[in-house]
Amino acid sequence: MTAPQRSEPARPARPARSAGPAGSVPAQSAASAPSDGPDRDDSDLLAALLDGMDAALCAFDADGTVTHWNREAERILGWTAAEAVGRKGLAGWAARAADAHEVEKRLMEAMDAPGRQVHEFALLTKDGGRVLVRTQASAVPGADGRPAGVYCAFSEVHAQLDLERSIALSEALLEDASWNVVLVDADLRVAVVNGSAAGALRTGRTAALGRPLGEFLDQGVEEVENALQHVLAEGAPQAPTELWVTLRDEDEDDDEDEAGLLDDEGRADGGDRRERGERDASPRRCWRSGFLRLASPLTEEPVPLGVAWIFQDVTELKTHEQESARLRFRGNQLHRAARAAAECEDPMEAAAIQLDFALAGFADHALIDLVLDPPTPAPPPRIRLVRAAATPCGTPGPCPPIASGGIPVAYLDSHPALQAAERCGSVRASATRTDEPAATQWAAARKWPEGTAHGLCTVLRSRGRTLGVVTFLRTSSRRAFDRTDATYAEDVAARVAASLDLTHRPH
């Protein structure tokens, strides 16, 4: 090992040591006379490298004399290089006399052992304290290839344990954790993903690397990327956040190429029918998410390396909470509607009030179509419906009665309202295309207000007779009607039918 020449203030002169046996490790000494030429440059470079190390390092020659001592060793034990270099052994200054022999013996054994030898020792600090360190000792070969000394790198055990715990935690999170963990870089591209997260994103661990989140998420990707950018700029939020997302389907591009509107022929499914061709969208998922900003510990100023996104799927829990809240709200609305309808003298007004309360948080528009009595003696081949009440076509409002004059609504034979009346059940309908021209055409063909994207028609029956159909409509800003909505609509329809049964039916 080439002897480094440290550029430090000269310490008080010491008696010069003998050169020692051939091949021994030269001592690191600030008082040694400077030399010129390449050797001087190599010594300065070695001294700079030793002082810049994150680990403490000391070296001994074959006699056990300290030849090197860097700044990290000075920080841990308090002894400067000027005080440590040149001392023989560690007894009395860096180790207790009772422990010094065992410590030196185990360190010097590294000269005859292959590889590195790991030990833990209790060393003394300059102020008299004790510190537990973990050492890695290895032999230093001389010019002839034989061991000429030992170098020893050491660090405080608690710091080493902290590092090992951090590494173990990282490996556990990225391998065995039940939580989903995704690491994204500063460009918001996936850098690392654990097995749980790969399953949640419906991809493989290696297939996800380097890809943007938009290739896995459809709806909600803007919210996720906005949260990641916020964490990169300002740090992690103080509490978890819940993000609703929809996963992107592999065959989504094929679905987007399909054109046309839904027809109104559905398949029977109990009392609830849907138009053929309507497909359930990819289910929304609720991910309870936490974020951590990752910064490099090797720079003076923190440099963001990316963000750790840790999330858990709580869709089932949130769905139950939402369903419970929805049921409580709808139950309260039905109770309030019944009390308000009981104060109405006009049965038609009572039916309209029932719809007004039902619309809150449920639909944007509502229609009441009553069955027109067939003329005698020959009945018509199909049911005819007359508009009896409707909410305004513009902004949502109350559902006042309409004087139709007994003229039937020009519904097509396959209209959902006629299907509901004929089959005494409910029919759901939704437009497959959300672009404005197609949606407008779809609503106009069914005689529904402009902007309608989802419809739910439920039959009105009382005392074993079909009185008409009530229709609830939603715009494209709302989700499609589901089975729970159909059940609620049938409950409302039963109350509306009871009120309408008290009034005169149109002739």
Side-chain angles (χ1 to χ4, degrees):
M1 179 183 295
T2 306
Q5 302 295 330
R6 298 175 54 89
S7 56
E8 295 181 352
R11 65 178 183 271
R14 291 188 181 185
R17 295 193 302 110
S18 59
S24 62
V25 180
Q28 175 187 16
S29 174
S32 57
S35 60
D36 297 330
D39 292 339
R40 170 71 184 193
D41 296 337
D42 292 343
S43 299
D44 292 342
L45 176 60
L46 179 57
L49 290 175
L50 292 177
D51 286 340
M53 293 177 61
D54 292 331
L57 185 137
C58 61
F60 305 86
D61 62 13
D63 295 331
T65 301
V66 178
T67 60
H68 295 79
W69 191 269
N70 73 346
R71 293 190 185 276
E72 185 65 13
E74 177 181 339
R75 185 193 68 81
I76 294 176
L77 299 180
W79 300 96
T80 65
E83 297 168 328
V85 172
R87 291 179 180 264
K88 185 177 177 64
L90 302 175
W93 64 284
R96 294 193 313 173
D99 302 332
H101 177 72
E102 180 66 20
V103 171
E104 294 171 7
K105 176 184 176 183
R106 295 169 69 180
L107 287 177
M108 300 309 292
E109 286 177 353
M111 293 182 61
D112 302 322
R116 292 178 297 177
Q117 304 297 310
V118 179
H119 306 286
E120 289 185 1
F121 302 124
L123 299 182
L124 289 178
T125 61
K126 187 176 181 179
D127 57 8
R130 301 186 71 190
V131 59
L132 184 63
V133 298
R134 178 174 296 178
T135 66
Q136 294 186 19
S138 182
V140 179
D144 55 359
R146 293 181 299 175
V150 174
Y151 79 85
C152 172
F154 63 93
S155 61
E156 297 174 86
V157 168
H158 71 82
Q160 184 72 17
L161 290 178
D162 289 343
L163 176 61
E164 292 177 359
R165 291 191 189 103
S166 299
I167 295 174
L169 175 61
S170 299
E171 292 181 351
L173 284 175
L174 297 176
E175 293 292 341
D176 306 323
S178 59
W179 281 68
N180 308 297
V181 181
V182 178
L183 303 187
V184 297
D185 57 22
D187 296 328
L188 303 188
R189 292 181 176 270
V190 177
V192 182
V193 58
N194 71 347
S196 299
L201 295 174
R202 292 194 283 194
T203 185
R205 295 190 62 182
T206 57
L209 303 183
R211 298 167 63 185
L213 293 173
E215 294 189 13
F216 310 106
L217 305 179
D218 187 8
Q219 299 178 8
V221 65
E222 295 86 359
E223 288 78 4
V224 174
E225 291 182 345
N226 180 65
L228 295 173
Q229 290 173 349
H230 172 81
V231 174
L232 281 173
E234 302 185 21
Q238 297 181 353
T241 181
E242 293 176 353
L243 301 172
W244 286 89
V245 300
T246 300
L247 296 176
R248 186 176 295 278
D249 293 330
E250 295 181 358
D251 56 348
E252 188 178 51
D253 295 337
D254 298 336
D255 293 344
E256 292 176 353
D257 293 337
E258 296 181 2
L261 302 175
L262 291 174
D263 59 36
D264 294 318
E265 296 182 0
R267 56 181 178 82
D269 190 4
D272 182 13
R273 295 175 45 82
R274 306 180 68 172
E275 292 184 339
R276 183 177 301 165
E278 180 184 350
R279 299 186 217 176
D280 290 336
S282 181
R284 298 173 69 226
R285 315 300 303 175
C286 181
W287 290 346
R288 182 170 294 163
S289 305
F291 300 93
L292 297 171
R293 181 168 62 178
L294 305 179
S296 173
L298 304 179
T299 57
E300 296 182 0
E301 296 182 1
V303 177
L305 296 178
V307 177
W309 176 23
I310 306 173
F311 63 92
Q312 189 176 34
D313 194 327
V314 293
T315 306
E316 185 176 356
L317 174 63
K318 298 302 293 184
T319 300
H320 289 325
E321 291 178 356
Q322 291 178 351
E323 287 294 333
S324 299
R326 186 182 297 117
L327 289 176
R328 287 195 301 270
F329 175 76
R330 290 177 176 177
N332 291 335
Q333 288 296 98
L334 290 175
H335 175 71
R336 294 173 60 194
R339 292 177 60 91
E343 303 298 326
C344 297
E345 297 181 1
D346 183 6
M348 192 65 197
E349 181 184 357
I353 285 181
Q354 294 276 2
L355 285 185
D356 291 340
F357 277 93
L359 282 176
F362 180 67
D364 297 303
H365 298 284
L367 310 173
I368 295 180
D369 296 328
L370 299 182
V371 175
L372 181 64
D373 285 338
T376 57
R382 65 180 180 86
I383 295 176
R384 296 184 301 170
L385 298 176
V386 177
R387 183 65 45 85
T391 54
C393 294
T395 57
C399 186
I402 294 177
S404 61
I407 300 176
V409 184
Y411 286 148
L412 299 176
D413 292 342
S414 59
H415 194 280
L418 295 177
Q419 293 185 28
E422 291 172 355
R423 295 171 174 83
C424 298
S426 298
V427 174
R428 291 178 282 161
S430 292
T432 51
R433 294 173 58 181
T434 57
D435 55 292
E436 185 173 353
T440 302
Q441 179 185 356
W442 184 85
R446 290 154 181 78
K447 308 300 180 184
W448 288 340
E450 183 179 356
T452 299
H454 313 288
L456 172 59
C457 299
T458 302
V459 68
L460 297 171
R461 288 184 61 82
S462 178
R463 294 188 297 163
R465 297 175 301 154
T466 297
L467 304 182
V469 175
V470 59
T471 301
F472 297 98
L473 304 174
R474 290 176 177 174
T475 60
S476 58
S477 61
R478 292 177 178 263
R479 62 174 177 84
F481 290 101
D482 56 19
R483 292 181 182 274
T484 304
D485 296 330
T487 301
Y488 177 64
E490 290 169 359
D491 197 356
V492 174
R495 297 166 182 262
V496 172
S499 297
L500 292 176
D501 196 25
L502 301 177
T503 189
H504 294 289
R505 296 169 60 192
H507 294 277

